[in-house]
Amino acid sequence: MPPPILRDAMWFRRNKALYQCLATESYDAIFIGGGELIGPGTFSVALKYWAKEICKYQPKAKLFFFGVGVASNCKEIDIRNMRDILYMANGIFVRDAKSRDNLVSNWGLNATEIPDVVFSWSNQVALVSNPRHYLLYGITDFQRIHKHGIMLLSSESDYFEHSLKEIVALNHTGVKLFYTTQDDFYACKRFQEYCFANGHNQIGIAMYEDLKGLITEMSHAKTVYSPRMHACILGKMSGAEVHPILISPKMTSFKEKYITNGQDTNIYRSILEGVIRNCMTV
């Protein structure tokens, strides 16, 4: 394996096209974020090169991190990689309190906590008055469950057994599985096979090809269960009763902040729009 400095240079060469827009256009502001996680690995390398290219081609542009998360497991090399660009920022806006604390502990920088940027879609989701009957239950790839370790499940089979027991306990006649990524879709297929093998042939899978299709499904659902935060946000904006599946600290804090309080999602959109307006006047 090549040393880190050579590996980083190879990554930049392979991905140089990502930065060409900085050399060919003029920008008043650059926003990095929309759900990205400031954390270890490839993203920290990317930010190192973004800092260099922004300084080279867009020295007068305002720079903001907007709606980002900040990981707890950054290594020293990641902290060094991202230091320059974070110190360059005119403003950093994070999606939760833990991210704000991590930013302080890793870089000594302060940030403003804002709602997740997906809430800005609240005016794009049309609430429908048709009867809502079925329940949407989100399945994710087991590696995400195992990574966080909160559910204390050691295998995909254990996860499937746990999920099926929960679905049966809900005692709902119409259940559809749903997904937000390709890996989750394949996990849904495997879980459905598990359900069939255990005598639950009535559990279907919602079929759609894009975000619009997912929102349409949610607009017809009475209840949404999901281990994915953005799926829960879309469900809430669609008017469904939402129950986050608590697979991580992020999902726990999300439930406490956005589900339990019953706040109108349009308020969060207004907050986000106000923050963007303020950024442009800095």
Side-chain angles (χ1 to χ4, degrees):
M1 179 177 292
I5 189 170
L6 178 58
R7 188 167 64 247
D8 293 356
M10 292 167 61
W11 184 92
F12 177 70
R13 185 173 181 178
R14 289 195 305 269
N15 294 276
K16 193 172 182 179
L18 295 174
Y19 304 93
Q20 293 304 303
C21 61
L22 294 174
T24 58
E25 302 287 344
S26 178
Y27 298 96
D28 295 316
I30 298 170
F31 285 79
I32 296 176
E36 292 289 357
L37 182 67
I38 298 176
T42 300
F43 193 65
S44 74
V45 176
L47 286 186
K48 179 173 74 172
Y49 286 108
W50 272 109
K52 293 179 180 179
E53 298 299 295
I54 290 172
C55 286
K56 182 178 179 181
Y57 294 111
Q58 303 289 335
K60 296 182 179 180
K62 301 170 185 175
L63 173 64
F64 300 96
F65 284 84
F66 192 77
V68 295
V70 182
S72 303
N73 60 335
C74 290
K75 299 177 181 178
E76 185 58 37
I77 188 172
D78 302 309
I79 293 172
R80 289 199 306 269
N81 280 342
M82 296 183 281
R83 180 178 291 123
D84 288 347
I85 197 166
L86 289 171
Y87 286 178
M88 286 165 52
N90 297 87
I92 302 175
F93 301 89
V94 295
R95 64 192 183 197
D96 54 64
K98 182 62 176 174
S99 292
R100 185 181 59 208
D101 295 342
N102 289 339
L103 193 71
V104 172
S105 63
N106 286 333
W107 293 278
L109 293 171
N110 294 317
T112 301
E113 186 179 350
I114 61 173
D116 191 279
V117 294
V118 174
F119 281 113
S120 64
W121 269 64
S122 64
N123 63 339
Q124 304 292 320
V125 179
L127 298 179
V128 296
S129 58
N130 56 284
R132 295 168 177 262
H133 298 298
Y134 58 82
L135 180 150
L136 285 174
Y137 192 94
I139 292 293
T140 190
D141 183 77
F142 175 70
Q143 291 306 315
R144 292 188 68 244
I145 305 293
H146 182 67
K147 172 185 173 182
H148 297 294
I150 286 182
M151 297 182 75
L152 302 178
L153 302 171
S154 60
S155 67
E156 183 177 77
S157 179
D158 289 344
Y159 170 49
F160 286 173
E161 179 182 1
H162 171 87
S163 299
L164 181 55
K165 285 180 178 178
E166 184 170 55
I167 290 173
V168 172
L170 292 172
N171 194 30
H172 201 288
T173 55
V175 177
K176 288 185 181 181
L177 308 176
F178 81 100
Y179 43 90
T180 57
T181 70
Q182 189 175 57
D183 286 342
D184 287 3
F185 171 72
Y186 293 135
C188 277
K189 296 284 285 184
R190 295 193 298 274
F191 178 61
Q192 186 186 48
E193 292 173 0
Y194 177 88
C195 293
F196 286 2
N198 285 273
H200 295 275
N201 299 333
Q202 78 283 8
I203 297 176
I205 298 179
M207 303 303 293
Y208 44 87
E209 297 181 351
D210 52 25
L211 179 59
K212 184 178 179 179
L214 172 58
I215 291 173
T216 298
E217 285 286 345
M218 287 185 166
S219 70
H220 291 82
K222 182 178 181 180
T223 312
V224 173
Y225 282 76
S226 179
R228 294 274 191 181
M229 182 177 70
H230 289 160
C232 289
I233 294 174
L234 291 172
K236 184 174 175 66
M237 292 190 300
S238 300
E241 178 185 312
V242 173
H243 297 271
I245 298 174
L246 307 182
I247 68 168
S248 66
K250 180 178 77 172
M251 291 302 292
T252 301
S253 62
F254 168 78
K255 178 181 179 181
E256 293 170 352
K257 185 167 185 178
Y258 295 114
I259 302 299
T260 306
N261 67 14
Q263 189 76 267
D264 182 352
T265 57
N266 284 308
I267 292 176
Y268 302 131
R269 175 173 60 84
S270 298
I271 292 172
L272 291 166
E273 290 175 348
V275 171
I276 292 175
R277 284 194 298 270
N278 290 337
C279 287
M280 300 311 296
T281 61
V282 170

